[in-house]
Amino acid sequence: MRVLVFDPFHGAAGDMITAALLDCGADRERVAAAMRAVVAEPAVETVTRAGIRATKVNTHATPVHRSLDEVFKRLDDASPVVPPEVLATARRVFSRINAAETEVHGAHVHFHEVGADDAIADVIGACTALATLRVDGIAVLPIALGSGTATGSHGTIPVPAPATVAILKGSGLTSMQGSNEGELCTPTGAALLAEFSSLNQADLGGYTITAVGYGAGSRDTPHSPNVLRAMVVETTGALPQDTVDLLETNVDDVRGEVIGESLARFMAAGARDASATPIVMKKGRPGYLVTVISLPETSAALARLMARELGTLGIRCIPVVHRFVAERTMADVDVEICGHKKRLPVKCGWMDGRIYTLKAEFDTARDWAADLDLPVRDVLRAIEDAAWNQVREKRQDAGPGDK
């Protein structure tokens, strides 16, 4: 399983997260295009922090403060360039920040530091970078928060900032003070890590490191590197089971188009999966069983969303269902169609040391199908056929008895 591990031993900020992911191998062109769509062309450079080479990102943003609606409008304007799943993740990050600001300061009209243009660019850059790395899970090691006081739009505040504490509260992430004074983890950094995290660090087990990246902060402290470390690792064994909640409801008065749009909204709101199954209800009426798989901490919010979108009066919750997760890896395969060659990604499912399922990545297959003017299903089939041929060739080369 391909896992991204964040090591915020010196804290985290939005620009540091984006830079660390770029240093790990995220697609620089796509990240720059996404950031440019919301603010300006970013500058990416190599710097050193206490002797460690790191990547530094400068958003070139102006200090403009915006409301949550204005931030969302800024994200919506980037939709021609940025994929919808990346925009959905960015909206959830800002929703976390907004909830924390409201908890600390009460109802407010504008964000302050976290609503500035540089925060918008950092969030969209980090979300885009993560999407391009194509990892199967994200773990966050203990976050250094810092100590002392800092000066911001609200005057002198304690470190960690109240908004940072509110974001980390209930996130499941582990924090520590750290050995340096000053603000080490910003609200934007905390919100990104809380949103990205999907694996408990204790469940990682053994792993091999395949890529390492360092994202530099603005300050250059002489005796402690002001960097965030990120690592892409391959786990050496299957991860333990996790737990999810099952949310279900039956509906018989909702149009199919509404069902489809509702499923998309459930996924954008953090559902792990969402589906609708045709059923026959009482008195022979046709209907749908709508099922949403949710992490326990997001079940209540998703149940409310299901009720609102579907108009149902009751949501069944089957809590803490144990779920076994197969080991998954990503691989690139060489494909040829009508004389055109391309290297494309496939997701591999493993059991007992063997690949038992292969699935082509839909977005890349769709884009190539459009270029070739072919049906998407034909391109998907060609990619998966090429992948299975590659698997068979490797098994033959390994010889009898080898995996």
Side-chain angles (χ1 to χ4, degrees):
M1 188 171 182
R2 181 177 162 91
V3 176
L4 174 67
V5 179
F6 284 106
D7 183 10
F9 64 91
H10 202 281
D15 59 340
M16 296 170 72
I17 293 173
T18 303
L21 295 177
L22 288 172
D23 210 31
C24 266
D27 190 319
R28 292 200 175 200
E29 291 185 4
R30 289 177 59 182
V31 171
M35 296 176 73
R36 186 167 59 244
V38 293
V39 180
E41 182 74 36
V44 181
E45 59 180 328
T46 300
V47 299
T48 58
R49 294 289 184 262
I52 294 180
R53 185 207 61 80
T55 295
K56 180 78 175 69
V57 174
N58 188 333
T59 63
H60 290 156
T62 56
V64 178
H65 298 157
R66 305 180 186 279
S67 69
L68 181 63
D69 288 341
E70 290 170 337
V71 170
F72 281 0
K73 174 64 166 58
R74 201 73 174 216
L75 296 176
D76 290 339
D77 291 342
S79 58
V81 176
V82 184
E85 61 272 18
V86 172
L87 293 175
T89 304
R91 290 189 189 96
R92 292 197 298 271
V93 171
F94 278 108
S95 294
R96 286 177 183 268
I97 298 173
N98 182 65
E101 291 264 338
T102 301
E103 178 181 331
V104 173
H105 305 295
H108 58 284
V109 177
H110 288 84
F111 287 123
H112 289 276
E113 285 83 358
V114 292
D117 275 357
D118 60 344
I120 299 174
D122 289 338
V123 169
I124 201 69
C127 294
T128 303
L130 177 63
T132 68
L133 281 178
R134 300 200 305 269
V135 295
D136 301 307
I138 300 99
V140 180
L141 302 185
I143 306 169
L145 301 179
S147 59
T149 60
T151 302
S153 299
H154 296 287
T156 300
I157 58 174
V159 172
T164 299
V165 174
I167 290 167
L168 293 176
K169 181 184 68 176
S171 68
L173 299 180
T174 302
S175 303
M176 60 182 180
Q177 178 175 307
S179 57
N180 293 83
E181 288 193 358
E183 185 180 39
L184 301 184
C185 183
T186 67
T188 303
L192 284 166
L193 294 180
E195 178 62 35
F196 289 170
S197 176
S198 62
L199 298 172
N200 191 313
Q201 58 171 313
D203 293 338
L204 278 175
Y207 55 79
T208 57
I209 301 171
T210 61
V212 180
Y214 293 90
S218 298
R219 290 175 294 174
D220 187 6
T221 50
H223 303 298
S224 179
N226 183 21
V227 296
L228 167 69
R229 177 161 58 193
M231 299 177 290
V232 177
V233 307
E234 292 284 350
T235 57
T236 55
L239 290 177
Q241 62 188 21
D242 65 359
T243 55
V244 294
D245 290 347
L246 282 181
L247 307 177
E248 294 182 344
T249 188
N250 297 352
V251 294
D252 62 1
D253 57 352
V254 181
R255 295 173 57 179
E257 297 93 335
V258 174
I259 293 284
E261 175 62 22
S262 298
L263 297 180
R265 293 190 179 190
F266 301 153
M267 294 299 296
R272 286 297 180 258
D273 202 358
S275 62
T277 306
I279 58 174
V280 177
M281 299 176 61
K282 62 184 179 181
K283 299 181 181 180
R285 293 199 300 264
Y288 291 96
L289 169 64
V290 179
T291 304
V292 172
I293 298 176
S294 168
L295 294 178
E297 58 266 27
T298 59
S299 291
L302 281 167
R304 290 174 62 87
L305 182 61
M306 291 174 69
R308 190 189 74 185
E309 294 294 329
L310 301 172
T312 184
L313 298 177
I315 308 291
R316 297 183 296 276
C317 179
I318 306 171
V320 190
V321 176
H322 293 275
R323 179 178 66 162
F324 291 94
V325 183
E327 182 182 357
R328 290 163 289 177
T329 60
M330 297 296 299
D332 291 329
V333 60
D334 293 317
V335 188
E336 182 174 352
I337 301 178
C338 302
H340 299 274
K341 296 181 180 180
K342 204 173 186 67
R343 192 167 181 81
L344 296 169
V346 294
K347 181 175 289 185
C348 311
W350 293 76
M351 185 182 300
D352 299 326
R354 281 179 173 266
I355 294 175
Y356 74 94
T357 183
L358 287 169
K359 185 176 181 181
E361 289 290 280
F362 180 81
D363 289 349
T364 53
R366 177 199 58 203
D367 293 345
W368 199 28
D371 292 341
L372 298 176
D373 193 22
L374 291 173
V376 178
R377 65 178 183 275
D378 292 348
V379 175
L380 288 168
R381 187 184 307 114
I383 296 170
E384 291 167 2
D385 287 347
W388 277 118
N389 288 335
Q390 183 173 298
V391 169
R392 295 186 188 99
E393 290 172 0
K394 288 185 177 180
R395 287 177 180 171
Q396 291 173 354
D397 293 340
D402 290 333
K403 295 181 179 180

